[in-house]
Amino acid sequence: MTEVVATNETILVVGGGISGMTAALEAAETGKQVVLVEKRPYLGGRVSQLYKYFPKLCFPTCGLEINQRRAKMNPNLRVLTMAEVTGLKGEKGNYTATVKISPRYVNGNCTACGECEKAVSSEFDDEYNYGLGKRKGAYLPYRMAHPAQYVLDPRLIGTPEADQAKAACKYNAIDLDMREESVDFPCGAVIWATGWQPYDAAKIQPYGYDRFPNVITSVEFERLADPQGPTGGKLVRPSDGKEAKKVAFIQCAGSRDRNHLLHCSRICCMASLKQCTYVADAWGKDADVSVYYIDLRAIDRFEDFYAKVRGIEQVKFIKSKPASIVADKEGNPVVHGVDTEGYNRYADSFDLVVLAIGMEPSVDQASFPVDIVLNREGFIEADEANGGVFAAGCASDALDVNRAVQHATGAALRAIQVVHGAAGVEG
Amino acid sequence: MAADKKFAGYLCTGCGIGERLDARQLSQIATREGKMAACKEHPMLCSAEGVQLIRDDIAAGNATHIMIAACSRRAKVEAFSFPEVAMSRANLREGVIWLRPEGDEHQETTQEMADDYVRMACAEVRFMTQPTGSGEQTLNRSLLVVGNGVTAMTSALEAAKAGYGVHLVCDEGELGGVYKDLYKRVPFRAAPVGVSNARTAPLPQPEEPGVAEMIAAIQANPRIQVHLNAKVTKTSGAPGRFSADISVESGSTVTENFGAIVQATDYKPYDANLLPEFAYGKSPDVVTNFELERLAKAANGGPLKRPSDGKEVKAVAFIQCAGQRSDKEGHLPYCSGFCCTESIKQAMYFKAQNPGCDATVLFDDLRTPGAAGEDFYRAGQQAQVTFSKGKASAVDINGGKLTVKFKDLILDEDTAMECDLVVLATGQVPNSGPDPYAQLAVDEAPTEEEKAAARKALEVAPPSILNLDYRQGTDLPHLKHGFVDSHFICFPYETRRTGIYAAGPVRRPMDMKQAIDDAAGATLKAIQAAENAARGAAAHPRVGDLSYPTFRKEGCTQCKRCTVECPFGAINEDEQRYPQFNESRCRRCGTCMGACPVRVISFENYSIDSVGQQIKAVDMPDEFSEKPRILALACENDAYPALDMAAQSGGQISPFARVIPVRCLGSVSLSWITDALNSGYDGIVLMGCRRDDDYQCHFVRGSKMAAERLSKVGDTLQQLNLEQERIQVYEVAITDVQRAPQLINDMAATVEKIGMSPFKF
C-alpha cells in the first residue's frame, strides 16, 4: 500500500513533464514539501520524446539529467508515477487529493538490469515512439527514464510471459499481484501541469493523414530523426522506407482554423525550422525542403534562428495554406494549393509531408476534478476563482520549453504563497 | 573537526558483480590497500536490508567515510543517501561489467579494472571531508528589486505576498515605467469557455491597463518600500548578505541589506530617429507605437487626432517590424515579440473611436501566438482592421497627407497608400547595464568584423545599473543583443551572478503578460537563492551542494587566475590582493581549483587530492606487460551519463580505461595531468561539454577554460618528449552514447600505435 505523508502545507504538482518537474523542484528547493504525480511510468513527459530543442539544437536529456539529479537528491520531493489525480476537494490552503495509482508490477527492488525484458517476447506499440516502433511487454520506457524502473505491460498479466519475466528477476522486483490503488492525502496548493497532446491530424480531412502513410505529424517526424527512434535516426518514409529527401512542412495544420484548433500553438513554426535542419543535415545538397506557412512565427530572439534556416539554400518558404494533399501511384504525397505571394497554383510532389500539428490541452474540459476557469480552447486561465490551483506550462497555453519552465517557476511561487498563508507566514 | 575518521567499505555482489568479479579480492583490496577498516559484502546492497547494514554502522559510530562498490553513482541515489557521512562510489556495474565483454580471455583485465576502481574509490573517500558550514550564512528575507515598470512592480508584489520585504528602486519620479502612458492593454485572455467559433462571437477587447491599480497596490503594501528618483550606486556582498547603497537624486544615500536581487529594468523604446526613411522627425504625424498611446490617452475616449493640425484621423497605417528583424546598421536584428498585438490593439482604438476611419496594418509575418493572441487577431478582424501583407520602404510627406510606399507581397507589386497618420511599430531596447565581458568579447572575437562590432559595443556601454563591487564587473553579463538572458533553454533564470535574477524585457523581448509571469518566476528564484544562501547550499546546477572552496593563503602567489576565470565572478580581491571567496556566490564548479597553478584551492569533498590520489591509486603495470593505462576525466553533466548509458546499451570500453568523473572540465587541475603522466599513464582523454557560442557547459566557461589550458600543455609535452596525441580534449554531448566510449577506445588504439609511455618503469 502506498502511503503519502503530507499536510496542508504540502504542494501537489499534477503532471511530471518539464513544467511539472520544474514547478515541483523549484518549490522543493525553496524548502516546501512537494508531491509530484505523473501518469506515465517516468518523468519528463513529451520533451523526452524530442530529439533536439530549438533554437540551440541541443538535447533534451541534457537538462533532464540535471533535473533528475535534483529530483533524486531532494528529500522534500515525493514522486508518484503511474498515478493520476481523480479527485480534488476543498479550498485554497486546505485540499484533499485522491490519486489513483496503476500497477507497474515492478517494485522498488528493480535494479534496471534488463533481464525481464530479455525473458519475454511479445511486442507492443511503443508509446514513446508515438506508436512508430515496438517494445517488449517488460520494458524501460527509454534509456534515461527516471525512475530507472522497468514496467510490465498489463496485457502481459495472466499470460505465461508474466511468469517468465518474474522468473528472470533475481531481486524479487516483479510483483504480479500488484493492484490498482487509491490514496488520499492533504495539500495546500495544487499546480496543474498536465501539458498537451498533439491534435488528431486525422480530423484534417483534406490532408489525408489517415489515408496516406507518407503524410505524418511533426511529433512523428521528430521520432524518425532521433537516433534513439524507430529508424535509428534515418529519415526514411513509412510506406516503403525510401529516403525522405524532398520534404514538405505544412504549418498551421489544423490550427488557427475555425474547423479545428482556434489557437496558434506558438512552437510549430520554430519546430519546423528545427526539423528543416534535420533534413539539411541528413542530405546536404540533396535536401529539398518546402515550408508552407501563413505567418512565420519565430518570435523575439528566435528571429536569429529563422535567419539561419532561411540561409540554407535547400529550404524554401511558400506563403500558402495548402488546400489538399493526395497521393500518386508511388505513394508520393502531392500538395495542392495557391502560393498567395503572386497567386501561383501549385501541385508539388514530395517524398514526405510533415503536418506541423498543434498542441491541445491533454486534459479534456469535462475531466477536471475541480471547478477551474478555462478558455474556449481548454487552457487554464489564471483567476482568483481557481483558489489554490495554478496552471503551469502548456496546461495554461501553447508554450515552448523555455517559456513553459518560466511559467512553471512562477506557478511554484504562487503555490508557495498559498502554503505560506496556510502556515501562518502570511503575505 | 579532528574527530577520528572511520573508513568503511561495502561491496554489492548483485547485478552480476559477484558472478563476473572476484568479490573476495575486491574486499581485500579495499581493506589492505584502500585502508577501509572492513569491507562488508551484500548480494543486494540497495535493498532495505543492505541499506540498513550501512545505517547501523553509521549510527554505531563505525563509519564516518564510506566506500560503496556497486552500481554507478547515478543509480540508486535515493537508496544510497547518507548525507551525514562522506561517501564515494566505485562504479563496478555500468563502469566495469556492463562495458566489458564476458569470456575467459577478458577475465583478467576486467578484474584489474574493478580492482583499480575500488582502490580509486577508497583513495577518494580518504581525502574527502563532509562539508560543514563556513559561518558566512545569513538568512535575509528581503529583496532588492530594481526597476520602474510592471515587471518590477509585479516582482515586488509577489515577493511581499510570499512574506518577503522589498526595496523597490525606481529611477524616475513615479512608478509605471514604459507602460505609464498606456491607454489600454492587449487582453491577457482568450475567449472564455462557451464562446462559439462563429464569426460574430464576442472576443477579447483591449482592456484597462491595470498599471494604476498596481501602483496603488505597491503604495499600500507595508512590506514594500519604494525609492523614487533613486539609483543603486553600490552593491556588494553575496546572496544572503547583499548590501546596496540606494542614492536619491537629491543626494542622500541609504544602505540596506538583502537576501537576493531582481533586476527588472525593462526596456527603452527604440529611437525612431534611426528610421529617416519613414519621415520620423520630419512629420509630426509619423509616430511610434509608444507615442500613439499618449495620443490615445489624450483623446479620452473621443476620436484620436493628428498631432500636426488636430484633425480627426481618417486613415492610419501601422508599419510593423519598423527598424527590427533587420541587419541594417542601427536596426534591431531581433523581433520584439509584442508589437503585432500592440498594433492590432491600437488599430482597434481608431475603429472604436474614429468614425469611418481606415486602419491598415502592414506586416510581413503577423505574430499573435497562443490562444489569447489568435483570438485577439480575430477581434481585430471583427473590428474591420485591414491586414495587408507588405513591406514598407518609405513614407513621403504629400502636402497635408502621408504616402506609405510599400511592396504588396500578395499582389507582388510596388504600390502606395495615402493616410493621415503613420504608426511605426518599433521595438524594445533592453535597459541593461554594461556587459562586464565586453572587453573579453573583443579579445576573443574570431574575425576582424566581429572584433570591430565588439569594440563598438564596448564604446557605447550604458551607465551601470547595479554598480556591483565585483572584481569581474559592475553588471549582469549580456547574452546577445544586450539582453541579460540565460543561455539555457531548460533553465531560463540561470544567471552568471548568483543571487541576482533578471526579469521581463531586459531579459528577452516580451509583452506585458509575459513580463508579469516572468517577474513571478524570477522572484521565486530570488527567494530560493536567499533561503539556500542561509543554509550554505549552492544554486543551479549543483543544487544543494554544501561544499565551498577554501584556499591556503600561505601558498597563494596572487596570480589572479581564479578571480579572472571564475565564470560567475564569485571571487573578489581583498586589500592585500589575495582572492576573497564568497561562498554563496559560488556554484561549486571548481574552475578556480583547475585554474590555480599552485594547487592551493580545494573543496572539502572535491579537492586536488580527492582526484589526484585516485589517479595515483591505479595499479600501473610495467612497460612489458602490454597493458597501457588510459585516464579519462569525464564531466559529470554530459560525458559521464553518456558512458553510463553506453554501458546500458551494450557498448564496450577498452580494458585499459580508468574513468574519473569531474564536476566540470574547468575544475581539472594541470597537476592531475602531470601526476598522470609521471605515474606512467599512456593516454589522457578529457571529455567535457560543448564550449563554442552555443555552449552547453553548465558552468558557462569551464569547458572552454580547460581546452585553453590544455592547448598550452603541448609545449610541456614536447619538453618531456611525449607525443601530442597522448592528451586529447573532446566536447561530448549526453547523447553521444556510441561516441563517448569510442573516444576512449580511439586513445587506446593511438597508444598501441605510438607505444607505451616512456615514463613507466
Side-chain angles (χ1 to χ4, degrees):
Chain A
M1 262 308 293
T2 308
E3 269 179 52
V4 177
V5 176
T7 67
N8 72 343
E9 290 176 44
T10 301
I11 295 172
L12 167 64
V13 180
V14 185
I18 190 94
S19 299
M21 273 179 90
T22 298
L25 288 169
E26 298 294 348
E29 287 166 7
T30 313
K32 306 298 158 214
Q33 296 299 311
V34 181
V35 177
L36 174 58
V37 170
E38 163 57 40
K39 185 171 67 179
R40 294 182 182 189
Y42 63 106
L43 298 182
R46 291 193 193 273
V47 302
S48 71
Q49 293 168 281
L50 295 176
Y51 173 34
K52 294 183 186 177
Y53 283 152
F54 58 75
K56 284 172 65 182
L57 302 177
C58 53
F59 303 104
T61 37
C62 178
L64 281 174
E65 169 71 16
I66 301 288
N67 282 337
Q68 288 177 183
R69 192 201 303 173
R70 289 160 81 188
K72 290 176 200 172
M73 294 185 31
N74 199 316
N76 294 338
L77 174 63
R78 175 81 194 273
V79 177
L80 299 173
T81 50
M82 317 231 9
E84 290 171 75
V85 171
T86 52
L88 189 65
K89 288 195 183 58
E91 53 177 11
K92 178 168 151 179
N94 241 314
Y95 291 103
T96 304
T98 305
V99 173
K100 172 185 90 168
I101 305 177
S102 300
R104 185 189 281 256
Y105 304 106
V106 176
N107 61 33
N109 287 346
C110 177
T111 59
C113 68
E115 290 302 314
C116 55
E117 185 175 10
K118 292 184 197 151
V120 297
S121 51
S122 295
E123 292 193 319
F124 301 88
D125 279 347
D126 185 357
E127 303 91 339
Y128 177 74
N129 280 312
Y130 283 101
L132 292 172
K134 297 283 185 202
R135 58 155 176 82
K136 296 276 198 73
Y139 65 103
L140 191 67
Y142 83 109
R143 73 179 167 202
M144 233 179 79
H146 169 70
Q149 220 179 323
Y150 272 66
V151 193
L152 246 54
D153 191 306
R155 287 167 283 190
L156 229 56
I157 304 303
T159 73
E161 286 194 55
D163 300 312
Q164 282 159 16
K166 188 175 164 83
C169 179
K170 297 197 193 92
Y171 306 105
N172 249 322
I174 296 194
D175 179 358
L176 299 175
D177 297 322
M178 261 191 198
R179 292 281 172 270
E180 181 185 291
E181 46 175 335
S182 182
V183 57
D184 283 356
F185 56 87
C187 54
V190 181
I191 297 176
W192 202 269
T194 44
W196 59 281
Q197 59 193 7
Y199 183 68
D200 181 4
K203 291 186 178 155
I204 315 168
Q205 205 278 339
Y207 288 171
Y209 173 75
D210 52 346
R211 301 187 302 285
F212 310 124
N214 297 325
V215 175
I216 64 173
T217 64
S218 43
V219 296
E220 291 167 338
F221 186 67
E222 190 76 16
R223 297 315 307 142
L224 294 183
D226 190 351
Q228 273 291 279
T231 61
K234 289 216 263 304
L235 296 181
V236 293
R237 65 186 198 176
S239 68
D240 54 10
K242 180 175 168 218
E243 289 171 344
K245 293 181 175 161
K246 191 165 183 213
V247 182
F249 290 93
I250 316 284
Q251 298 316 109
C252 306
S255 294
R256 304 179 66 188
D257 190 327
R258 255 168 242 286
N259 304 303
H260 304 285
L261 299 177
L262 290 168
H263 63 273
C264 154
S265 288
R266 187 185 264 108
I267 57 109
C268 347
C269 280
M270 285 298 289
S272 290
L273 291 175
K274 170 189 71 168
Q275 294 182 335
C276 288
T277 67
Y278 296 167
V279 184
D281 284 346
W283 312 119
K285 291 220 172 344
D286 291 339
D288 183 353
V289 181
S290 298
V291 180
Y292 296 88
Y293 72 97
I294 304 175
D295 293 286
L296 223 311
R297 292 179 168 181
I299 300 171
D300 71 58
R301 285 195 302 104
F302 288 152
E303 186 68 33
D304 289 336
F305 187 61
Y306 180 24
K308 182 165 127 178
V309 177
R310 267 204 320 270
I312 302 176
E313 212 187 300
Q314 290 77 27
V315 181
K316 290 193 287 297
F317 291 91
I318 300 151
K319 181 165 162 74
S320 168
K321 183 161 173 136
S324 69
I325 301 174
V326 293
D328 67 17
K329 288 194 304 292
E330 280 90 53
N332 301 316
V334 181
V335 181
H336 286 269
V338 175
D339 177 352
T340 51
E341 281 183 309
Y343 272 83
N344 297 311
R345 170 82 169 82
Y346 59 79
D348 296 336
S349 167
F350 294 92
D351 295 326
L352 184 71
V353 169
V354 180
L355 304 178
I357 205 72
M359 302 154 106
E360 58 178 2
S362 70
V363 176
D364 180 65
Q365 298 193 21
S367 307
F368 274 96
V370 269
D371 280 336
I372 199 153
V373 178
L374 300 174
N375 62 31
R376 63 179 173 172
E377 293 295 88
F379 293 109
I380 300 173
E381 299 281 18
D383 196 306
E384 287 278 308
N386 291 338
V389 181
F390 307 97
C394 294
S396 75
D397 195 12
L399 298 172
D400 56 274
V401 174
N402 195 293
R403 267 191 80 161
V405 174
Q406 171 192 337
H407 191 259
T409 312
L413 180 64
R414 304 256 160 66
I416 289 172
Q417 289 163 347
V418 168
V419 159
H420 273 180
V425 179
E426 56 86 30
Chain B
M1 257 180 20
D4 284 333
K5 288 187 183 176
K6 301 268 173 59
F7 303 118
Y10 300 89
L11 171 63
C12 179
T13 51
C15 287
I17 293 173
E19 284 97 334
R20 293 278 305 276
L21 302 169
D22 182 341
R24 197 158 160 272
Q25 179 162 319
L26 294 172
S27 293
Q28 282 182 346
I29 285 177
T31 49
R32 293 179 194 167
E33 297 177 47
K35 307 283 189 281
M36 299 295 113
C39 185
K40 295 183 179 168
E41 294 175 29
H42 193 284
M44 191 180 161
L45 197 60
C46 58
S47 65
E49 189 192 79
V51 169
Q52 195 57 46
L53 177 70
I54 303 174
R55 285 217 186 289
D56 289 343
D57 283 348
I58 295 173
N62 294 332
T64 60
H65 291 64
I66 61 178
M67 187 285 299
I68 295 179
C71 47
S72 166
R73 64 186 59 202
R74 290 171 63 251
K76 293 293 175 182
V77 175
E78 297 95 324
F80 296 134
S81 169
F82 309 104
E84 64 274 42
V85 298
M87 176 174 75
S88 70
R89 291 185 59 173
N91 189 349
L92 300 183
R93 188 181 72 165
E94 289 89 328
V96 180
I97 61 171
W98 281 8
L99 277 175
R100 292 298 307 147
E102 294 189 54
D104 293 337
E105 68 272 36
H106 302 291
Q107 187 48 40
E108 191 181 280
T109 50
T110 303
Q111 183 68 37
E112 283 168 1
M113 193 187 259
D115 290 345
D116 274 340
Y117 278 127
V118 170
R119 292 185 185 105
M120 287 155 76
C122 292
E124 186 188 357
V125 82
R126 288 201 320 269
F127 286 90
M128 281 170 74
T129 316
Q130 250 323 67
T132 54
S134 69
E136 264 184 52
Q137 299 101 351
T138 43
L139 175 57
N140 189 324
R141 290 209 163 114
S142 175
L143 296 189
L144 170 65
V145 177
V146 184
N148 318 334
V150 161
T151 318
M153 291 196 283
T154 303
S155 175
L157 290 166
E158 296 286 358
K161 200 168 173 193
Y164 268 61
V166 178
H167 282 258
L168 179 54
V169 175
C170 165
D171 68 0
E172 289 175 344
E174 49 171 347
L175 288 169
V178 264
Y179 289 134
K180 203 169 28 230
D181 293 326
L182 214 56
Y183 173 46
K184 299 235 167 98
R185 74 179 186 205
V186 170
F188 285 177
R189 295 187 180 189
V193 161
V195 173
S196 76
N197 66 357
R199 283 177 206 284
T200 50
L203 292 173
Q205 303 293 308
E207 52 193 26
E208 286 309 305
V211 179
E213 286 83 343
M214 211 179 258
I215 296 174
I218 293 265
Q219 287 162 343
N221 195 310
R223 283 214 177 95
I224 303 174
Q225 199 175 321
V226 183
H227 304 258
L228 294 173
N229 288 314
K231 288 201 159 82
V232 176
T233 46
K234 181 170 166 193
T235 310
S236 56
R241 54 178 181 86
F242 281 118
S243 169
D245 290 349
I246 302 169
S247 304
V248 183
E249 221 170 54
S250 59
S252 63
T253 300
V254 296
T255 304
E256 300 283 352
N257 297 316
F258 304 102
I261 300 172
V262 175
Q263 181 177 336
T265 45
D266 290 345
Y267 61 92
K268 295 189 184 357
Y270 178 75
D271 178 9
N273 284 305
L274 293 164
L275 305 170
E277 63 271 33
F278 293 143
Y280 183 82
K282 295 193 206 100
S283 164
D285 297 326
V286 176
V287 299
T288 64
N289 38 5
F290 299 96
E291 292 161 343
L292 196 285
E293 286 300 312
R294 279 176 235 145
L295 277 180
K297 235 185 178 170
N300 205 12
L304 281 84
K305 304 197 170 127
R306 281 157 51 100
S308 61
D309 55 13
K311 290 206 175 107
E312 280 181 27
V313 175
K314 288 288 178 197
V316 59
F318 291 83
I319 298 180
Q320 295 313 106
C321 310
Q324 302 186 67
R325 300 181 61 192
S326 146
D327 45 24
K328 260 167 91 173
E329 178 81 33
H331 287 201
L332 305 176
Y334 48 88
C335 152
S336 293
F338 82 115
C339 353
C340 281
T341 43
E342 267 302 284
S343 290
I344 294 174
K345 174 195 74 167
Q346 294 178 334
M348 287 169 79
Y349 293 167
F350 291 95
K351 285 311 213 180
Q353 293 163 219
N354 289 39
C357 181
D358 282 332
T360 306
V361 175
L362 273 178
F363 69 95
D364 189 1
D365 290 289
L366 203 68
R367 296 175 167 180
T368 58
E374 205 57 37
D375 270 353
F376 191 53
Y377 186 7
R378 279 189 195 96
Q381 292 172 59
Q382 237 181 24
Q384 307 202 321
V385 173
T386 307
F387 292 92
S388 183
K389 184 166 162 91
K391 266 206 163 94
S393 53
V395 174
D396 291 341
I397 304 172
N398 240 328
K401 295 268 180 193
L402 297 165
T403 306
V404 180
K405 290 207 180 113
F406 66 100
K407 172 151 184 161
D408 186 322
L409 293 166
I410 301 296
L411 297 176
D412 193 20
E413 61 187 27
D414 288 313
T415 181
M417 65 179 266
E418 235 190 30
C419 54
D420 303 329
L421 187 75
V422 170
V423 182
L424 304 176
T426 50
Q428 302 179 346
V429 179
N431 191 16
S432 48
D435 184 4
Y437 300 118
Q439 181 59 57
L440 190 64
V442 173
D443 298 337
E444 289 185 346
T447 67
E448 271 314 307
E449 206 186 308
E450 288 174 61
K451 255 205 209 314
R455 237 175 246 127
K456 225 164 158 203
L458 187 57
E459 281 158 25
V460 296
S464 174
I465 290 176
L466 296 175
N467 281 300
L468 289 168
D469 183 22
Y470 284 16
R471 206 235 182 246
Q472 278 189 25
T474 56
D475 287 85
L476 288 177
H478 294 191
L479 181 67
K480 217 174 170 191
H481 308 315
F483 293 98
V484 292
D485 202 356
S486 156
H487 182 55
F488 300 107
I489 292 169
C490 308
F491 308 107
Y493 293 110
E494 269 331 299
T495 165
R496 287 182 66 180
R497 295 292 178 262
T498 313
I500 304 175
Y501 295 93
V506 73
R507 186 170 83 71
R508 66 187 293 149
M510 58 176 78
D511 60 26
M512 198 201 276
K513 178 179 177 184
Q514 205 192 150
I516 287 173
D517 276 343
D518 206 39
T523 305
L524 183 285
K525 295 301 285 184
I527 286 174
Q528 199 186 72
E531 295 284 336
N532 284 313
R535 288 177 45 229
H540 174 95
R542 291 193 61 86
V543 178
D545 192 340
L546 296 171
S547 70
Y548 59 91
T550 52
F551 83 114
R552 280 186 306 107
K553 203 166 171 181
E554 54 284 10
C556 174
T557 59
Q558 299 183 344
C559 72
K560 310 281 185 291
R561 270 178 233 183
C562 57
T563 50
V564 167
E565 292 187 14
C566 171
F568 306 101
I571 310 172
N572 277 4
E573 273 169 38
D574 66 18
E575 306 83 48
Q576 290 142 358
R577 318 258 288 149
Y578 283 106
Q580 197 175 47
F581 289 83
N582 294 284
E583 175 196 301
S584 56
R585 273 162 47 187
C586 173
R587 299 293 175 84
R588 290 38 169 197
C589 62
T591 297
C592 50
M593 180 166 85
C596 181
V598 287
R599 308 187 299 279
V600 301
I601 304 173
S602 274
F603 294 74
E604 290 142 301
N605 55 5
Y606 181 63
S607 61
I608 297 290
D609 276 335
S610 78
V611 173
Q613 293 297 334
Q614 285 186 64
I615 293 172
K616 293 178 192 163
V618 165
D619 183 56
M620 192 57 64
D622 65 33
E623 60 197 295
F624 304 110
S625 65
E626 291 180 18
K627 286 175 180 169
R629 286 289 177 261
I630 316 290
L631 175 67
L633 297 171
C635 168
E636 67 180 7
N637 300 300
D638 278 10
Y640 199 72
L643 286 170
D644 268 0
M645 285 192 275
Q648 243 174 286
S649 2
Q652 265 192 36
I653 207 172
S654 159
F656 310 124
R658 303 291 181 264
V659 180
I660 298 180
V662 294
R663 290 185 181 181
C664 175
L665 222 52
S667 69
V668 171
S669 168
L670 287 177
S671 68
W672 298 341
I673 309 294
T674 334
D675 283 349
L677 292 172
N678 285 333
S679 302
Y681 282 81
D682 306 275
I684 304 173
V685 177
L686 293 104
M687 298 156 81
C689 300
R690 188 169 167 183
R691 55 182 181 255
D692 63 355
D693 274 352
D694 254 343
Y695 61 85
Q696 282 298 86
C697 174
H698 294 66
F699 299 102
V700 184
R701 287 180 67 85
S703 188
K704 190 171 186 160
M705 295 278 88
E708 271 179 32
R709 290 176 207 145
L710 280 138
S711 68
K712 297 176 189 150
V713 144
D715 296 334
T716 316
L717 285 175
Q718 253 185 356
Q719 283 169 13
L720 296 171
N721 256 318
L722 285 171
E723 300 85 338
Q724 308 281 333
E725 305 109 292
R726 291 193 190 271
I727 301 185
Q728 295 290 342
V729 185
Y730 294 110
E731 290 168 293
V732 175
I734 196 168
T735 49
D736 281 341
V737 169
Q738 262 100 36
R739 182 170 167 260
Q742 191 54 50
L743 295 173
I744 297 174
N745 298 342
D746 285 349
M747 178 57 82
T750 301
V751 166
E752 206 177 312
K753 200 177 67 176
I754 62 180
M756 307 272 253
S757 162
F759 281 77
K760 280 194 206 294
F761 28 74

